Amino acid sequence: MARRERDSLKRSLFKIDRLRRRLLRWYDQNKRDLPWRGSHDPYAIWVSEIMLQQTRVAAVVERYQVFLKRFPSLMSLALAKEDEVLALWSGLGYYRRARMLHKAAQFVAQNYYGSLPKKSEELRELPGIGEYTAAAIASIAHGEPVAVVDGNVERVLSRLAGWDESAKLRRRIGELAALMVDPERPGDFNQAMMELGAMVCLPRSPRCTECPVAIDCNTRGEHKTQKRAPMKSVAIAHALSVRTSVRKSERDRGGREVLLEHRPTTECIMPGMWELPQLIEAEVPSEELRMTVRHAIMQTNYYVRIRTVFEDDVARLTLAKGERRWVAFGEAREMALTGLARKVLTRAHLLSTAPLDMIAPAREEDLI
DNA sequence: CAGACGTGGAA
DNA sequence: TTTCCAAGTCT
């Protein structure tokens, strides 16, 4: 930021103070009641911040509670196997987050006696913790007066300052945020900025009439966004192969199994996750078509055909890239499935938590 | 510094 | 229906 600009902002500190007070008052009165709010456990805050990276609050809420119930402490997470951590992350996406969270927990267990470092500078050293997350944890858990800059803050400050999209914007935003963060309540201030971005200062159609700091705003909500690559469409097909377990112990429980395939750990996307075997032909005879789903990954819409395949036909019809396993339905539910596999099995009622004899479909022809 | 990395739900 | 995006990080 130019010297003149900074001096001007310093002369206007009374304005910044006013903005802080308005923002925090609004936050105190309007903040959503989220599971991680009010927790002072740095570990719990850490987990929430990692889960929230590029992921909507609504998608995180339930997963966060399940995760914390299974791994209530950093040590319990550090002691877990990666497969189980990934299983709890299944469907959330960006699985590298889960791996790095796990790795970092093990590192902290080894080198910090299980307690996260307090300073943002030290947090920054841990895998998966970047500028944003380090500042978020340090300010929320320990009151360190550092500002966070996420997508919300970037948008809110761009509009407040009246800056448009340009080079170096990111750096100027960071400097402005650092100047503005409330040294008395940095954690609340940071969350308030993000809450404002999420609830009021929306990317499209901002609710300026509800904005507590509209009086300080230099724009009326205009905000340019970057152009994005166009979506692609790809047709693929997967096999849904179900059999009655050959293991007597499973059969006695009425156990049925689905065939899953392990994605090679060398895959760049979702390595080590479990999915349904891929069919060689994307075309599927209509009488064998079990369901169709659309599944978007990154910039691609996958139009997915799910075909039922008899065990005897699996080798002929599918392309094997990794280890395969017949897995009892109840077991599959606890595995690190890809989002697509979880979606398909859920829609086929194969992951039900109901007793096995209650599992739909009642009609045999629905299954095979 | 681009580009890669997942997903479901809103518009 | 298709697009757009959400509390980023790593390479």
Side-chain angles (χ1 to χ4, degrees), chain A residues 30-61:
Chain A
N30 297 283
K31 66 183 173 192
R32 290 168 290 179
D33 184 20
L34 301 173
W36 48 88
R37 294 254 219 247
S39 171
H40 292 286
D41 178 5
Y43 164 74
I45 293 165
W46 177 32
V47 171
S48 76
E49 291 300 340
I50 299 297
M51 267 194 192
L52 284 163
Q53 290 172 0
Q54 297 290 288
T55 308
R56 291 178 191 285
V57 166
V60 168
V61 169

Side-chain angles (χ1 to χ4, degrees), chain A residues 14-30 160 182 185 189 192 196 210-217:
Chain A
F14 67 95
K15 274 190 181 175
I16 289 182
D17 191 50
R18 182 180 68 179
L19 187 146
R20 284 175 184 151
R21 276 184 283 120
R22 289 178 191 275
L23 181 65
L24 283 169
R25 187 177 56 189
W26 171 85
Y27 178 69
D28 290 338
Q29 293 173 355
N30 297 283
L160 274 175
D182 189 330
R185 300 174 59 190
F189 178 88
L196 187 72
E210 299 171 34
C211 182
V213 294
I215 189 171
D216 291 311
C217 190

Side-chain angles (χ1 to χ4, degrees), chain A residues 154-171:
Chain A
E154 219 169 303
R155 184 175 60 255
V156 169
L157 289 185
S158 297
R159 285 172 170 165
L160 274 175
W163 294 337
D164 61 2
E165 207 70 14
S166 66
K168 295 184 186 170
L169 180 67
R170 179 80 195 202
R171 207 167 69 87

Side-chain angles (χ1 to χ4, degrees), chain A residues 94-324:
Chain A
Y94 287 144
Y95 299 102
R96 198 174 48 177
R97 292 182 294 174
R99 292 197 167 88
M100 291 189 296
L101 177 67
H102 185 223
K103 284 275 189 302
Q106 292 181 327
F107 181 87
V108 171
Q110 288 257 335
N111 299 279
Y112 293 94
Y113 302 96
S115 296
L116 273 177
K118 291 187 173 181
K119 293 185 166 184
S120 61
E121 205 171 296
E122 300 170 293
L123 288 164
R124 182 68 181 76
E125 301 302 315
L126 298 172
I129 298 186
E131 281 301 318
Y132 163 80
T133 305
I137 297 171
S139 65
I140 297 170
H142 305 296
E144 185 176 321
V146 286
V148 303
V149 180
D150 74 330
N152 288 306
V153 173
E154 219 169 303
R155 184 175 60 255
V156 169
L157 289 185
S158 297
R159 285 172 170 165
L160 274 175
W163 294 337
D164 61 2
E165 207 70 14
S166 66
K168 295 184 186 170
L169 180 67
R170 179 80 195 202
R171 207 167 69 87
R172 299 172 74 206
I173 294 285
E175 290 168 340
L176 181 56
L179 202 59
M180 288 183 44
V181 64
D182 189 330
E184 302 292 324
R185 300 174 59 190
D188 285 340
F189 178 88
N190 283 332
Q191 293 185 83
M193 288 289 284
M194 296 189 282
E195 189 82 351
L196 187 72
M199 305 302 289
V200 175
C201 196
L202 306 174
R204 292 172 292 190
S205 333
R207 303 170 179 170
C208 296
T209 57
E210 299 171 34
C211 182
V213 294
I215 189 171
D216 291 311
C217 190
N218 282 315
T219 71
R220 284 298 166 264
E222 59 265 35
H223 178 66
K224 292 170 191 162
T225 56
Q226 297 179 19
K227 55 181 179 294
R228 305 165 54 81
M231 300 285 291
K232 284 179 277 192
S233 294
V234 174
I236 59 171
H238 284 280
L240 182 57
S241 196
V242 174
R243 72 175 190 186
T244 300
S245 176
V246 296
R247 287 172 292 184
K248 181 145 195 326
S249 57
E250 288 292 332
R251 205 160 59 229
D252 287 349
R253 290 165 45 213
R256 296 175 69 80
E257 299 171 328
V258 60
L259 182 61
L260 296 179
E261 183 169 321
H262 194 234
R263 292 177 64 82
T265 51
T266 51
E267 295 283 324
C268 63
I269 190 169
M270 298 178 278
M273 305 287 287
W274 292 84
E275 64 182 350
L276 298 173
Q278 188 169 350
L279 285 168
I280 292 170
E281 300 283 347
E283 292 301 313
V284 175
S286 59
E287 66 272 19
E288 296 294 342
L289 187 61
R290 175 65 185 276
M291 71 172 81
T292 62
V293 300
R294 183 181 70 87
H295 191 72
I297 295 182
M298 313 304 302
Q299 294 303 315
T300 306
N301 280 321
Y302 291 95
Y303 292 90
V304 188
R305 294 171 183 282
I306 303 299
R307 172 185 177 163
T308 53
V309 173
F310 289 107
E311 183 176 0
D312 289 345
D313 295 328
V314 166
R316 182 168 56 85
L317 296 176
T318 66
L319 184 65
K321 286 183 175 174
E323 180 204 350
R324 287 181 171 181

